Amino acid sequence: MFLHRAFYETREGTGAVVHLHSTFATALSCLADTDPDDCIPPLTPYVVMRVGAVKLLPYVKPGDTRMGEMICDLGGRCAAVLLANHGPVVTGTDIASAVYAAEELEETAKLLVLLRGAPRRMLSPENVAELKAVFGRA
Ligand SMILES: [Zn+2]
């Protein structure tokens, strides 16, 4: 509950929080080389539009109140986080938007796993800035 409450208390406009143990996002959360500051990088416009930047939070055991503290420490800057060796937590203005964002995060995680080891063409910082300007998701 504190996991969800931490988002409601720190991220204005949060109306729903979805937490999953979905396969591909959890797989990314277990990889040693996942970037903790940008663990779901901008591979497609939809992940930028629906999810935004995602931080990987360090592992703590399920039920550990430090999960909530780590989310509070983000100060509402992230709409979603990935819990190391655990799974994603995704917010939205309502349950539908949170579920759509969680689906987008999972599908992007799947693409990242499928493309692992292959040269990837990511969206450029200019592409991401354009999407944020038009669609407003941070
Ligand atoms: Zn869990």
Side-chain angles (χ1 to χ4, degrees):
M1 197 48 130
F2 48 84
L3 187 67
H4 296 241
R5 188 181 317 128
F7 270 114
Y8 289 120
E9 290 177 353
T10 59
R11 188 163 170 85
E12 191 174 336
T14 297
V17 178
V18 174
H19 170 51
L20 302 169
H21 301 153
S22 52
T23 304
F24 287 96
T26 303
L28 274 187
S29 83
C30 297
L31 292 173
D33 62 350
T34 295
D35 181 351
D37 291 321
D38 188 19
C39 59
I40 310 288
L43 195 58
T44 69
Y46 308 102
V47 74
V48 175
M49 292 155 54
R50 292 190 175 148
V51 182
V54 180
K55 284 238 183 208
L56 177 68
L57 299 182
Y59 174 81
V60 293
K61 73 179 185 325
D64 191 316
T65 57
R66 285 179 292 173
M67 277 186 199
E69 293 165 13
M70 288 189 285
I71 290 169
C72 286
D73 288 345
L74 296 175
R77 291 187 304 277
C78 292
V81 297
L82 192 55
L83 307 174
N85 302 79
H86 188 153
V89 186
V90 185
T91 68
T93 54
D94 54 33
I95 189 67
S97 67
V99 168
Y100 292 147
E103 286 178 346
E104 196 61 44
L105 186 153
E106 176 64 10
E107 290 303 312
T108 304
K110 184 176 183 178
L111 291 171
L112 291 164
V113 170
L114 288 171
L115 294 169
R116 195 164 154 75
R120 297 182 301 201
R121 183 178 51 254
M122 308 302 291
L123 297 183
S124 70
E126 293 77 21
N127 296 149
V128 172
E130 178 187 42
L131 291 166
K132 286 180 179 177
V134 174
F135 298 101
R137 188 88 191 211

